[in-house]
Amino acid sequence: MTSTTTTTSATSAGPAAGTARQAPPAGPRARLRALLRGRSRSTTPRILFTLLIALLAATVAVLGTGLAVVYRGQHAAEAVRTRAVPAISGVVAARTALVQADAAAMESFDTGARLVGPGEHFYNQIAIAVQGLTRAAGSDIAGESGNRKLRTAAGLLTTYTRLVQQAAAHPEGDEGRVLRARDLYSASQLLHDPNGGVLAQLDDLLADYVAALRTEVASGARHPAGVVPWLLATLAVVALLAVTLVFFARRFRRLINVWLVAALALVAGLTWTVGGVIGAHDRLQQASDALVRAVGEHRSVTGAQGQQTLYELIRQACGEEAADGCGGTVAAFADRVAALPDTDEADDEQVARRTQQAMLDAAGLSADAGEAADRQALVYALAALIAAAGYLGFRPRLNEYRFRSR
Amino acid sequence: MMRHRFRLVVPLLAAVLTTALTAALTGCAPDPERGVVTIVHPWSGTEPGQEGYAFRQVLEAFRAETGIRYNEQVTRGVSQLVLANLAAGEPPELAVMTSAGELAAHARSGRLRPLDGLVPRDRFRSWWALPIRNGGAEHIYAVPFKVNLKGLIWYNRHAGPERVPRTWAELERYATASGDGPATWCMGMGDGPNTGWPGTDVIEDLILHEHGPDTYLAWAGGRLSWRSEQVRKAWERLGRVWGDHAYGGREVTLLTDFGDAGAPMFASPQGCRLEHQASFMLSFYQRYQNPSGGAARPGADYDFFPFPSFPGRSFPTPRKASIDLIAMFHDTPEARRLAEFLATDRAQRIWLEHTGGDAFMANRDADRGVTRNPVGRNIDRHIDEAEVLCLDAADIMPATMREAFQRGVLEYLANPDRLPDILEDLDEVRRGIPEDQWLSLSCGR
């Protein structure tokens, strides 16, 4: 270690001694130029050692930041696949089922089938709605606030079902007809009331879930807090390898260092690996946007047909008179029904199908993104290989000085 | 020297590493909702003057004072929602209840947390705080918040009775007089899952005013049969004096929501002349128009008279009220703070200020300095000067009985011939309810 000792003593002689031998280059650029030219022979082993340490540290940084990107990608994909999509699909299924249940009940009462009450289809749809809400409850994606809204909707759903069942208990004839209409109207209010009705609660809940979905996707593999440090670390490794190659070429007259070139290739591989995670996240983002649009469209499903049938039932209960002849509440209801979009069951089913497809796409792409992000082992391996290749590239040069010191 | 050469690289790498680790450790763990209190209530509306808006101002004042955030769950079916949440094992922290019977049932089954010490009883009429005996000791389980004086008969001053009926005979004569003019009663039974209560209110008033508080409380407490003469007569009067003289007939009565029922009173041509309702109509009617096209004004365009008395009674004139009670189902420091705050005159005054003084609060000091219109002052005077003030009977009854009562009223209005069957059914429900579920309350001053 002669040279090292010499250098140390030269350095320890203080700035004056250094200046007497050779003035230190002023400014960082000048220092970098001096380094690349290898002007100070006595500092070469230290430069080699420092470059190696810097390269290894930067490789660790690439590993850490790369893993952070991968982790974010995985976390987002997992959250979307296991929490956001099930929650949204649960509420959408519940909402669709409730609108269909309402229409089925009104249809059943309209056909005068008192003995079957609201009908089997009503009960099936209510069961589907309950299942949907249960599925959403399991996701826990919107926190306590979301759970509270879910409980509110579930509580109101119980009352809604009771009111519809109650409507079936009235006898035939004028008396039963008006009481049935009253119960069905109360149930319908509970379902459709824009201020706190079941559908409004579910819409509110969907808005929360969509916001949570957006947050999860935004915090994924493309988040700047993950991507920027990873890019910087990667650039640092590439820069250090480039600086080292130039330094070796100038100082040791070695035009190509195979190991360092291999390290550069491995960095490219690592970049491709992490970039793949980011690319998969792009597709997840697109699927999420499509899902948000589908949910928005789904919220336009108001069950106009059920409401129109209910209005007919009320009109019959009032003796086929005009809306005004049945009081202010019915007149206002008639206005609301008239203002409903002119959609039928087929339109609603189409919207439901599109929403379902968007959810399937989002689920599939989140699964793909999750698989694409399942690359920690590859990131570890590539980072280890970069470090190893870097070390092997430095070793012959370091050995030269080790032999000299003997 | 070398130390200086690479001093640019080291900080850069350190920064990269730090950023990387920070980014890696930035998780998405859910933020636990500490410092938040949830309250379930029935008051909706986001516009100034509406109940929902007023209550939000109260909650905002609470947040500003304590820094505690709040969550509201607004629904007309508070009872149903509370039951659903209890069944799920996740009760709300606070809920606004109108039924003392339900409150007592929850308290006795251990689902409510006592609020002793949080409610300054000297600031409320003693019985409004509803002390409930539970496990040998008497506890306060609710903050009395808002009061509604019930049994008021509202009329349009431009087209109402020439002389306000003072006795039952006068009212009966006025209501049943035949003529080609508007119908006597504006009636609407609808209120979502609580449909029917405007009819139960009439029956309660008839029993209270004809037979007095003792009979009234015996009936409300499950000790008087539904088939008794006193109760049956009240039902018959509901049918004969109200049902037969209601605007639009029984279909309209059954299919109209209580909030829409008063509209024909202000319509042109007028559809109905009287409405039996509570003090909250003071603000409801202001959305209708007076003859000159402006908003109807209390006193100038509409007024009320109290439910008339029956001849030969031997008891002081009773009045009837309902109270919105705030109960605590889940004891947290935040819930206690909010319950304590809602009991203060300051909190209750905020509500008053945001409803134009058209509400009546339980805290005696809440309306200090609040200007009321003449009708509001009159209602306030009736509350203050009532010789006997009783709680709404349906509110005292157990939930099952109350629901059956409301259903019974609907069925009776739809077909008055079924009265004997309806009363028999109601009595069967009464007999099926265990004695300890009935609430024994007295009327107070």
Side-chain angles (χ1 to χ4, degrees), chain A residues 28 35 46-47 50 58 61 65 75 144 148 151-152 155-156 159 166 170 175 182-183 186 189 225 229 233 317 329, chain B residues 2 6 16-17 19-20 23 28 33 38 71 73 75 80-81 84-85 90 190 195 251 254 257 260 407 415 418:
Chain A
L35 167 67
R46 187 171 285 270
I47 292 171
T50 309
T65 54
H75 178 86
E144 177 52 28
R148 203 176 306 113
R151 288 198 294 274
T152 305
L156 293 176
T159 311
Q166 222 162 247
H170 301 297
E175 173 199 349
R182 171 70 253 179
D183 282 338
S186 293
Q189 267 182 311
T329 301
Chain B
M2 284 306 299
F6 286 95
V16 168
L17 276 173
T19 315
C28 296
E33 292 206 321
T38 301
N71 273 319
Q73 278 179 281
T75 172
Q80 293 82 0
L81 181 58
N85 286 356
E90 293 168 329
T195 292
E251 288 85 3
L254 288 166
D257 286 345
D260 299 328
R407 300 289 311 164
N415 182 3
R418 286 200 61 238

Side-chain angles (χ1 to χ4, degrees), chain A residues 288-343:
Chain A
S288 151
D289 291 345
L291 179 57
V292 170
R293 280 194 300 277
V295 167
E297 191 187 9
H298 175 80
R299 287 168 66 171
S300 68
V301 175
T302 52
Q305 212 190 15
Q307 299 269 282
Q308 282 153 3
T309 312
L310 172 61
Y311 178 61
E312 283 306 313
L313 284 168
I314 291 174
R315 231 163 54 92
Q316 287 163 20
C318 273
E320 302 285 340
E321 289 174 16
D324 282 354
C326 211
T329 301
V330 175
F333 180 58
D335 291 343
R336 287 200 301 278
V337 170
L340 286 171
D342 191 20
T343 56

